[in-house]
């Protein structure tokens, strides 16, 4: 659901995991599960794929890869982030975030800490009418917006999203760039979700997600 409601996803009461392929062997992952009394643990990770390190003369020094991890501990709509960033100067960082909902609006702040890029966003939640709008400021993207439309189709939930979140790497390039479509098939507490996003000249990104537990 991060592909359609980035930062404003509904929490599942049980277990949720997803994986997304990116560019040149890069992979995103997400694992989340509930404990009790509104406490949840979430781990988001990114693997760079193969990285070729060269010296100033262009000689190959070594071949490696990097994994970035953000461990989040939630209590209701407040959370703490523990960042592991092996090439970002300081390997470990700590920050916090919160989400506040009122009427059909939601206000979100994340990465409040020292040396972490702050994220601020607001959303208009009309999911009962099939529409969700959000906007804000996120580093390194700058101003970011998302528009998501959803509706049931043949026993499944269909999603259509347009965002400028990936324009800084894809260069935008037309109305189809940044568009994602997805489907969710649910049977009781078990759900399977799939999304594909167009990144313009850079190709497509696929996301597969499995959840167990009711969304709230």
């Amino acid at each position: 659901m991060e592909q359609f409601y980035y930062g404003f996803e509904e929490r599942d009461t049980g277990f949720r995991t997803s994986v997304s392929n990116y560019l040149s062997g890069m992979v995103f992952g997400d694992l989340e599960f509930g404990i009790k009394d509104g406490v949840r643990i979430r781990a988001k990770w990114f693997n760079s794929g193969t990285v070729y390190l060269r010296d100033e003369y262009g000689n190959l020094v070594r071949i490696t890869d990097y994994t970035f991890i953000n461990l989040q501990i939630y209590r209701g709509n407040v959370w703490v982030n523990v960042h592991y960033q092996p090439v970002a100067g300081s390997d470990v960082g700590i920050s916090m975030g919160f989400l506040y909902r009122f009427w059909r609006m939601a206000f979100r702040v994340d990465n409040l800490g020292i040396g972490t890029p702050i994220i601020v966003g607001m959303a208009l939640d009309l999911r009962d009418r099939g529409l969700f709008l959000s906007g804000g400021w996120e580093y390194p993207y700058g101003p970011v917006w998302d528009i998501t439309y959803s509706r049931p189709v043949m026993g499944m939930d269909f999603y259509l999203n347009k965002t400028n979140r990936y324009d800084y790497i894809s260069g935008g390039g037309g109305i189809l760039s940044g568009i994602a479509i997805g489907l969710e098939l649910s049977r009781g507490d078990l759900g399977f979700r799939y999304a594909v996003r167009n990144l313009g000249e850079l190709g497509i990104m696929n996301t597969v997600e499995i959840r167990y537990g009711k969304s709230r």
Side-chain angles (χ1 to χ4, degrees), residues 24-149:
S24 302
M26 301 177 189
V27 178
F28 287 96
D30 194 333
L31 175 64
E32 181 179 357
F33 57 92
I35 301 178
K36 64 177 182 178
D37 299 328
V39 177
R40 302 188 58 78
I41 294 179
R42 183 181 188 184
K44 300 168 68 176
W45 56 270
F46 164 72
N47 182 267
S48 65
T50 303
V51 176
Y52 297 88
L53 300 177
R54 300 180 183 273
D55 62 21
E56 62 269 31
Y57 303 107
N59 301 313
L60 182 63
V61 176
R62 66 188 173 105
I63 301 174
T64 186
D65 68 294
Y66 296 99
T67 298
F68 302 80
I69 300 173
N70 182 16
L71 177 65
Q72 299 176 306
I73 302 174
Y74 288 80
R75 179 64 184 268
N77 288 323
V78 179
W79 60 90
V80 174
N81 302 302
V82 180
H83 312 270
Y84 173 65
Q85 308 170 92
V87 295
S90 175
D91 283 354
V92 178
I94 297 177
S95 66
M96 67 168 295
F98 66 89
L99 178 68
Y100 177 69
R101 299 181 184 274
F102 58 98
W103 186 60
R104 293 180 177 270
M105 306 292 294
F107 177 69
R108 167 179 172 254
V109 176
D110 201 358
N111 289 353
L112 278 170
I114 299 175
T116 54
I118 190 171
I119 296 173
V120 179
M122 292 193 69
L124 176 61
D125 191 344
L126 300 172
R127 271 179 270 205
D128 58 334
R129 302 180 185 179
L131 190 62
F132 188 88
L133 311 172
S134 68
W137 180 276
E138 300 179 9
Y139 179 86
Y141 315 109
V144 176
W145 52 264
D146 283 90
I147 302 173
T148 297
Y149 172 75

